[in-house]
Amino acid sequence: EPEVTQTPSHQVTQMGQEVILRCVPISNHLYFYWYRQILGQKVEFLVSFYNNEISEKSEIFDDQFSVERPDGSNFTLKIRSTKLEDSAMYFCARKDSLRNSPLHFGNGTRLTVT
Amino acid sequence: GESVGLHLPTLSVQEGDNSIINCAYSNSASDYFIWYKQESGKGPQFIIDIRSNMDKRQGQRVTVLLNKTVKHLSLQIAATQPGDSAVYFCAEAGRGSSNTGKLIFGQGTTLQVKP
């Protein structure tokens, strides 16, 4: 079973619309990540989040993206104005410790932008 | 530049045979490596990891080998089973990962197990 739960499992939206993807860790952890995977491609880093702040973000994570942990539990990824090329699987992950420990992924949200 | 890659996009093996999946990395400063398995419709699943101060690590039916001289990582699966069919990714702790914990993934190898 995945150690983070992601909702929804599939989101279909029209280009230009805002979407919010949610992640709920099973236990209380401090280090969270969002990755995405375009169909048939490798898993790409988007952003890391620690202590309610972004610690690192990739070039993909531009101004249309934002993350927050509003209630101390749910971890969200917001895409403000979706584009066709945002269609991908989005994975939330958590880590036990910062160094030398693996990421544990959820089963992802499939985002389809039409 | 920073990159992690795999040598073959697809590997086909007979059930019961041993499988070897390879990965090359370019960042000689990386000190932590992981293998993930991804089944259709699911997220990457942790298999095994290795730190750069080790050459070999064994798990249940899996072994990871690290050759820092040629920057090569491999995953060996013993007695491959149909349930091992999946896409396998290697990942490394990227530059600056001591501050963020970010992992960089390779392209992936599809393992097909023939009954």
Side-chain angles (χ1 to χ4, degrees):
Chain A
E1 289 296 322
E3 296 185 39
V4 290
T5 300
Q6 292 188 243
T7 59
S9 57
H10 191 189
Q11 175 84 47
V12 181
T13 189
Q14 289 189 327
M15 192 169 53
Q17 295 298 305
E18 175 183 287
V19 294
I20 297 177
L21 311 182
R22 291 182 170 80
C23 172
V24 181
I26 302 299
S27 54
N28 193 23
H29 289 275
L30 296 175
Y31 308 103
F32 296 97
Y33 304 79
W34 282 102
Y35 280 74
R36 82 170 185 188
Q37 185 179 33
I38 296 172
L39 183 64
Q41 298 187 21
K42 66 180 180 180
V43 179
E44 299 176 292
F45 170 75
L46 290 178
V47 65
S48 58
F49 191 81
Y50 167 68
N51 201 24
N52 292 326
E53 289 185 348
I54 291 175
S55 51
E56 186 176 355
K57 58 184 180 181
S58 71
E59 292 178 353
I60 303 170
F61 195 89
D62 60 21
D63 291 344
Q64 70 166 337
F65 290 92
S66 62
V67 291
E68 63 177 3
R69 199 177 182 202
D71 56 6
S73 176
N74 292 315
F75 179 48
T76 63
L77 174 68
K78 180 189 293 185
I79 310 175
R80 289 187 186 82
S81 179
T82 51
K83 298 176 286 192
L84 294 177
E85 54 264 37
D86 293 327
S87 296
M89 287 291 293
Y90 288 81
F91 294 106
C92 172
R94 62 99 175 149
K95 225 170 184 283
D96 292 329
S97 63
L98 199 55
R99 283 189 63 82
N100 297 334
S101 68
L103 291 171
H104 297 281
F105 289 86
N107 279 331
T109 293
R110 178 178 299 280
L111 176 65
T112 303
V113 182
T114 62
Chain B
E2 213 174 53
S3 67
V4 182
L6 294 172
H7 292 305
L8 291 174
T10 302
L11 175 66
S12 185
V13 300
Q14 203 71 36
E15 181 179 356
D17 288 351
N18 297 332
S19 303
I20 301 175
I21 301 172
N22 296 304
C23 179
Y25 64 95
S26 62
N27 186 359
S28 56
S30 294
D31 60 359
Y32 178 63
F33 304 88
I34 309 170
W35 280 100
Y36 284 92
K37 172 186 180 183
Q38 187 178 28
E39 296 173 296
S40 180
K42 296 186 178 181
Q45 178 186 359
F46 169 75
I47 302 174
I48 193 168
D49 58 359
I50 188 168
R51 300 181 185 182
S52 60
N53 60 354
M54 302 172 68
D55 297 323
K56 179 180 179 179
R57 192 170 185 212
Q58 288 185 295
Q60 187 177 13
R61 279 202 309 119
V62 295
T63 301
V64 55
L65 298 177
L66 176 63
N67 185 331
K68 296 180 287 295
T69 302
V70 294
K71 291 184 285 188
H72 185 267
L73 188 70
S74 67
L75 177 70
Q76 299 179 359
I77 305 174
T80 313
Q81 302 169 357
D84 295 327
S85 295
V87 180
Y88 289 81
F89 293 93
C90 63
E92 65 173 325
R95 188 173 296 122
S97 64
S98 58
N99 295 324
T100 67
K102 179 181 80 175
L103 294 179
I104 297 173
F105 282 75
Q107 293 291 346
T109 291
T110 300
L111 177 64
Q112 298 175 338
V113 182
K114 296 177 288 186

